[in-house]
Amino acid sequence: MVTLTIDGQVVTVPADYTVLEAAEAAGIRIPRLCYLKDVSQTGSCRVCVVEIGGRLQAACVFPVSEGLEVKTNTPMVRESRRTTVELLLSNHPQDCLTCLRNQTCELQKLAQELNIRQVSFEGERTHFPIDLSSPSIIRDPNKCILCRRCISVCSEIQGVDILAARERGFDTVVSPAWQEELANTACTNCGQCVLVCPVGALTEQDDTEKVWAALADPDTHVVVQTAPAVRVTLGEEFGLEPGTVVTGKMITALRRLGFDAVFDTDFSADLTIMEEANELLQRLNDGGKLPMITSCSPGWIKFIEHQFPSLLDHLSTCKSPQQMFGALAKTYYPRKVGLDPAKIVTVSIMPCTAKKFEAERPEMRSSGYQDVDIVLTVRELARMIKEAGIDFVNLPDGEYDAPMGISTGAGLIFGATGGVMEAALRTAYEVVTGKTLAKLDFTDVRGLEGIKEASVDLDGTVLKVAVAHGLGNARKVMELIQQGKAEYHFIEIMACPGGCIGGGGQPIPTSTEIRQKRIEGIYAADRDMPLRKSHENPAIKVLYEEFLGEPLGEMSHKLLHTSYTPRLKYRTAAPCKDQEQLAGNA
Amino acid sequence: MEAANKGCCCQSMKAQDERYQKLADIIARYAGQPGALIPVLHQAQEVFGYLPNDVQVLIAEGLDVPLSEVDGVITFYSLFTSQPRGKYTIGVCMGTACYVKGAAAVLEELKQQLGIDVNGTSADGLFTLEVTRCVGACGLAPVMNIGDDVYGRLKPEDIREILDKYIQAERQADA
Ligand code: SF4
Ligand code: SF4
Ligand code: SF4
Ligand code: FES
């Protein structure tokens, strides 16, 4: 511990603290822009300057030391901070009123906090093309303030390394190599960069207009599914605490928006478990490819397709719950209720930007139509609810429609890292042993540790499993497999840190602490469910009896399973015929 | 690393091109060393004359550095170029004196005649067109240099003849 003085206050903090952290401990909030806890500490923006020994220092990177004297609010400090922010504003489009980040923008907030009332510099503005190539993410470099948080998250946490600063001085731009459009890179569409961007330079593609149009069309039957992780985060958009479970209010809001049927992705998550647990048992019995790896996370799928194309046969062939739902919503559902599948529009509410890409994959049309028509993130749904004037916090609770709204706690925990594994174990154990599980909670696979391991005794056979979240951790596990050192049977991988509760479509901010609270919300909701094992879901049993036959049966293969596409890591501009050939047969 | 992850894969074509062999040697010499990127880019540029995309990919893979970082470094330092260079660099002075005396019209004529923009290289690989700051020959304004040769008091109508001189010299050398 070291003792220092901040604005006359004596503070004792651990020796590895920065001045900014020490000030926070003393109840002094130093303004910051590029610094983001657990993500980025580049010391590049100089908004956080404080006075130490008569000189200005960046508090977010300056280490504390014994006897240090820090002043955080002097004329020199205030003037420097203001100049810094005014310079940023002089090269910034003044688009706040129509910007997606209006009122959640950190630059706006900073200008307000620093009491900036005019911009004294008339600057030349940079003009870069807006990148609209990705179905998931929009990149508008004109709004970028070069804080480099997105670079840190994409390289250090996700290990995908798409974004970097190129050129220098006034021409500096944060972009993929060669100014490539995102859609032509190995970007996974995970949206972690969107979550950390302080301004409107990285945002989700907004598909709300498409949903409004479908809802207004009297000839369509608009069906909505809500992903497991949405119910513990949507409330944050309306001022509720992270982790507050708002399932009932969300259902009511969706009905008031005009959806014709409100269903639950938890239903198809239960179905995923039925298929995936049986696939695992089949691979174990028939000497199939092991370890088998989960396939629910489209960011993870795109990552492995680009980075480890020779290991694609480790992936479970199960579609994600979103896509299983879509395929059934245009086959089973219309048959059951007597509707024309051509008139059905399927909307999904997802924690995820990558789901937008997944829905557009060419193989996701097994119903004969695009199985999932429109994907909205949590942020987009919140905007629709606000636009409709719905007083979300005071809504009465609603209930999901049958049959595709009936689910169990196993489907629900898909929203947190370790959840798919736990749900699969609950079912695999009972299917293999024929016994009832005494303890449903597999706590070894829960929580925010990057890579988790466990072994489960299935009546004599010991099943070794691992769980990884965040693509940087996924890469570590894949390298073990490559080296033949992964002695697991089954691995769960989610692209986003914390799993879907930390997805790129979730409310901003999403921090480690907030992720933790959302995870607690998920497990609390699971504990409250009357049914907590996928194979006990009565609607799933009926689905198999009436329509699918059996897990891994012919109908399942047609509607619920898929294949993967090897992709290149880079598009080289060199004329190279072999490359296309290789992409075809890798 | 799988074959599919290798940047460019025209191995057969490249095996015949000894520049790629040299590149492989350079990468092998530096692989695993910290701070290898800049010296490797430097030597690769000496071999190829510039840093084409496939070379960038081979360096990224060989040194295990993200391609976005390779591109970031190349675009940061003006000494690196990812565009091919012509045999001769044409520098048109855009200092105040030259500008006032009509350098812009001279530059425009060069662009027309060569069919390229500033920083481009002509299709025959002979010329790369650049603009320069004041070269200190204001008495001769407007001025341009082609390689080591300096041309002053230029008018747009002089350009064709000057370029033809280099093109003809090249043809004779070939014959
Ligand atoms: S990014 Fe922030 S400051 Fe910039 S236009 Fe959007 S809201 Fe305004
Ligand atoms: S979406 Fe994910 S992979 Fe793509 S640039 Fe952003 S952080 Fe990187
Ligand atoms: S895109 Fe956003 S996160 Fe990335 S550097 Fe620019 S402002 Fe920062
Ligand atoms: S917040 Fe400290 S330098 Fe940006």
Side-chain angles (χ1 to χ4, degrees), chain A residues 150-220:
Chain A
C150 57
I151 302 177
S152 298
V153 94
C154 188
S155 315
E156 278 149 44
I157 296 179
Q158 296 299 67
V160 194
D161 295 305
I162 298 301
L163 300 168
R166 66 195 313 278
E167 303 288 347
R168 65 194 300 172
F170 184 71
D171 296 325
T172 309
V173 60
V174 169
S175 119
W178 310 335
Q179 286 272 47
E180 196 79 83
E181 293 190 319
L182 270 180
N184 291 332
T185 69
C187 169
T188 65
N189 303 305
C190 72
Q192 290 303 309
C193 52
V194 174
L195 284 183
V196 300
C197 183
V199 292
L202 288 165
T203 55
E204 65 277 13
Q205 282 275 8
D206 185 308
D207 291 309
T208 53
E209 283 309 322
K210 292 185 198 159
V211 178
W212 285 126
L215 291 171
D217 182 346
D219 287 336
T220 57

Side-chain angles (χ1 to χ4, degrees), chain A residues 92-280:
Chain A
H92 194 84
Q94 314 282 318
D95 284 350
C96 299
L97 287 181
T98 51
C99 182
L100 209 54
R101 292 299 298 274
N102 191 11
Q103 300 195 344
T104 63
C105 172
E106 291 178 44
L107 181 60
Q108 249 184 0
K109 193 161 152 257
L110 200 59
Q112 174 67 9
E113 272 174 20
L114 299 183
N115 203 13
I116 291 173
R117 293 290 157 250
Q118 62 180 36
V119 177
S120 344
F121 311 99
E122 228 1 92
E124 197 189 332
R125 295 256 174 88
T126 37
H127 291 284
F128 295 103
I130 300 177
D131 181 356
L132 297 166
S133 65
S134 154
S136 302
I137 290 162
I138 298 178
R139 236 186 88 241
D140 181 354
N142 301 300
K143 289 182 182 167
C144 174
I145 55 166
L146 304 176
C147 72
R148 297 168 195 235
R149 286 181 186 176
C150 57
I151 302 177
S152 298
V153 94
C154 188
S155 315
E156 278 149 44
I157 296 179
Q158 296 299 67
V160 194
D161 295 305
I162 298 301
L163 300 168
R166 66 195 313 278
E167 303 288 347
R168 65 194 300 172
F170 184 71
D171 296 325
T172 309
V173 60
V174 169
S175 119
W178 310 335
Q179 286 272 47
E180 196 79 83
E181 293 190 319
L182 270 180
N184 291 332
T185 69
C187 169
T188 65
N189 303 305
C190 72
Q192 290 303 309
C193 52
V194 174
L195 284 183
V196 300
C197 183
V199 292
L202 288 165
T203 55
E204 65 277 13
Q205 282 275 8
D206 185 308
D207 291 309
T208 53
E209 283 309 322
K210 292 185 198 159
V211 178
W212 285 126
L215 291 171
D217 182 346
D219 287 336
T220 57
H221 181 85
V222 190
V223 168
V224 66
Q225 57 168 319
T226 60
V230 173
R231 66 209 68 200
V232 297
T233 63
L234 180 60
E236 291 167 40
E237 292 281 346
F238 303 92
L240 298 176
E241 269 299 297
T244 311
V245 184
V246 295
T247 320
K249 294 183 195 302
M250 174 178 71
I251 295 166
T252 305
L254 290 166
R255 284 200 204 291
R256 292 204 183 165
L257 287 174
F259 287 98
D260 296 297
V262 181
F263 289 143
D264 199 353
T265 315
D266 293 15
F267 163 86
S268 47
D270 279 335
L271 182 60
T272 304
I273 289 301
M274 296 302 291
E275 294 290 325
E276 199 158 353
N278 280 290
E279 184 186 357
L280 175 65

